[in-house]
Amino acid sequence: MLNYKEFMEALKQTIYSQTGWKSDCMGSLTDEGPTSDTALEIHYMNTERDASVISIRVPELYARYQIGESITSIADSVIGTIREDDRFCLAQAVSQCKNYELAKEHLFISAESIYNEEALSQCVYQTVGDIAICPNLKLLDRNGKMIGLKVAPEFLKLWKTDENEVIKAAVRNSSKLYPARYYNFLKALFMQEYKGEDFMEEDSSSVLLEGNGDKCISTTILQHGAAAIFYPGVCRKICEVLGAESLYLVFTSVHEVMVSAVRADVSVEEMQRRLHNGSRTVKEPEEKLTEQVYCYDGKSNCIRLAKGEGNVFQCDE
């Protein structure tokens, strides 16, 4: 059996051979074994910044070795622990941002009010009416909570691409990262684990026919869910199931959109009243998206202000 110092050297070499991460033993070193303050600092990036270092307590590792666990097994568990650490995940994500081919797999879109200057500061976006469609990079996703970073003009220079290409890539990738879902209010109220229902597949689209009211559309994580209506094919699918040519879109917050078929007996003014009533429940100013009613035009396959003016968003199939 290796003594403490030999064990530490073997563990460091095993971790290095598997990952390329260098490590240092910090704290008290004795011939007998580690003391309570001894730690193994793993440098998982080639930088001296604190954000690239994670400390692992040594005493329990050596104790596992003493009762028979192999060094390889202990090294695997240390590596696994680090790869699950939020700091490591953030550092890896930021590192991948430098390469567009890697970064575009983490792109997604969010919808923001064009009046939310803080959200739109130093980022690229496309406008439709008074809504900004923003490309973001997913940095961390834990327990249904996501941390994203809006794409700044500097990223476009780094990637050698333009904002139209990045926005299109983000729209396409969003439907994979955070798929669109229909939410039944009663199920959401009484089922704690309810994550909405997939309506994009042919054999599940009938969920949209539940009830007679507006259809609530969001994403699997209920964050920035209003953007789901801009995903490829979503509006087309809803029209197909509801037997409608066009749709009213009422954005009650940045997290969801209420959808209903355009009918001759329902005016834009009536939809405006519904939006006004629904928006009263928005507690945080940054969660408010718009005070305007939007429309999906099935003939042109685009989203625009219901009154017709302003920029349009051309939907992908």
Side-chain angles (χ1 to χ4, degrees):
M1 178 175 287
L2 302 178
N3 63 34
Y4 162 62
K5 289 183 178 179
E6 293 170 334
F7 163 77
M8 286 303 302
E9 188 59 35
L11 179 61
K12 289 163 59 176
Q13 289 301 319
T14 303
I15 292 172
Y16 180 77
S17 66
Q18 292 188 32
T19 63
W21 301 340
K22 296 181 179 179
S23 55
D24 296 312
C25 189
M26 309 302 292
S28 303
L29 298 176
T30 68
D31 292 334
E32 292 76 19
T35 56
S36 60
D37 64 344
T38 308
L40 183 67
E41 286 196 344
I42 310 293
H43 301 256
Y44 54 82
M45 291 182 69
N46 293 324
T47 172
E48 294 181 354
R49 293 177 301 173
D50 290 340
S52 69
V53 179
I54 291 179
S55 295
I56 303 292
R57 291 186 67 252
V58 170
E60 62 184 52
L61 301 182
Y62 190 52
R64 286 162 57 181
Y65 169 72
Q66 289 177 310
I67 62 174
E69 187 173 351
S70 70
I71 291 176
T72 299
S73 174
I74 295 171
D76 288 343
S77 70
V78 169
I79 294 167
T81 297
I82 291 174
R83 284 179 170 156
E84 287 297 314
D85 190 280
D86 288 353
R87 290 168 294 173
F88 174 81
C89 295
L90 280 171
Q92 290 294 102
V94 171
S95 177
Q96 289 177 340
C97 291
K98 299 175 183 178
N99 183 309
Y100 181 59
E101 290 304 310
L102 295 176
K104 68 181 180 180
E105 296 183 4
H106 301 278
L107 287 170
F108 68 95
I109 58 166
S110 63
E112 305 282 358
S113 168
I114 61 170
Y115 306 111
N116 188 348
E117 296 180 2
E118 183 177 353
L120 300 181
S121 174
Q122 302 300 314
C123 75
V124 299
Y125 56 88
Q126 172 185 342
T127 60
V128 47
D130 62 353
I131 294 175
I133 306 300
C134 309
N136 301 257
L137 280 161
K138 183 192 74 172
L139 298 182
L140 188 64
D141 200 337
R142 285 282 190 275
N143 302 317
K145 297 297 182 182
M146 177 268 298
I147 296 176
L149 173 69
K150 284 185 170 58
V151 173
E154 289 75 18
F155 280 108
L156 302 183
K157 296 176 183 178
L158 182 66
W159 294 339
K160 294 181 173 59
T161 187
D162 61 66
E163 65 181 65
N164 291 329
E165 162 59 26
V166 171
I167 291 172
K168 287 182 178 180
V171 171
R172 291 191 297 266
N173 200 54
S174 292
S175 61
K176 301 174 187 176
L177 283 180
Y178 307 113
R181 289 291 184 265
Y182 158 72
Y183 279 83
N184 178 298
F185 288 117
L186 287 176
K187 291 181 181 179
L189 185 62
F190 295 106
M191 298 169 60
Q192 187 174 3
E193 299 301 319
Y194 183 60
K195 299 294 183 183
E197 299 175 62
D198 183 6
F199 62 89
M200 292 300 291
E201 297 298 328
E202 194 65 38
D203 59 354
S204 60
S205 59
S206 61
V207 298
L208 289 172
L209 298 176
E210 295 178 348
N212 298 317
D214 299 344
K215 311 302 177 184
C216 179
I217 305 299
S218 186
T219 63
T220 48
I221 63 170
L222 284 171
Q223 284 184 266
H224 295 292
I229 204 68
F230 297 94
Y231 291 0
V234 167
C235 284
R236 280 274 196 226
K237 186 65 175 182
I238 297 173
C239 281
E240 175 188 315
V241 177
L242 299 184
E245 181 177 81
S246 299
L247 303 169
Y248 282 127
L249 308 176
V250 175
F251 295 94
T252 49
S253 82
V254 298
H255 301 305
E256 73 283 318
V257 55
M258 306 303 294
V259 181
S260 61
V262 171
R263 305 196 315 266
D265 60 336
V266 180
S267 66
V268 175
E269 288 72 25
E270 169 60 24
M271 300 306 297
Q272 195 77 55
R273 284 192 291 273
R274 296 185 193 181
L275 172 60
H276 177 69
N277 292 334
S279 295
R280 291 176 181 173
T281 62
V282 178
K283 297 179 180 179
E284 302 298 332
E286 64 270 19
E287 293 184 349
K288 186 175 182 178
L289 185 55
T290 178
E291 293 184 350
Q292 303 297 319
V293 173
Y294 282 73
C295 174
Y296 167 70
D297 184 337
K299 288 184 178 180
S300 302
N301 192 31
C302 70
I303 293 173
R304 56 173 172 78
L305 283 165
K307 294 181 179 179
E309 69 273 17
N311 297 334
V312 304
F313 179 89
Q314 194 63 49
C315 301
D316 289 338
E317 293 294 343

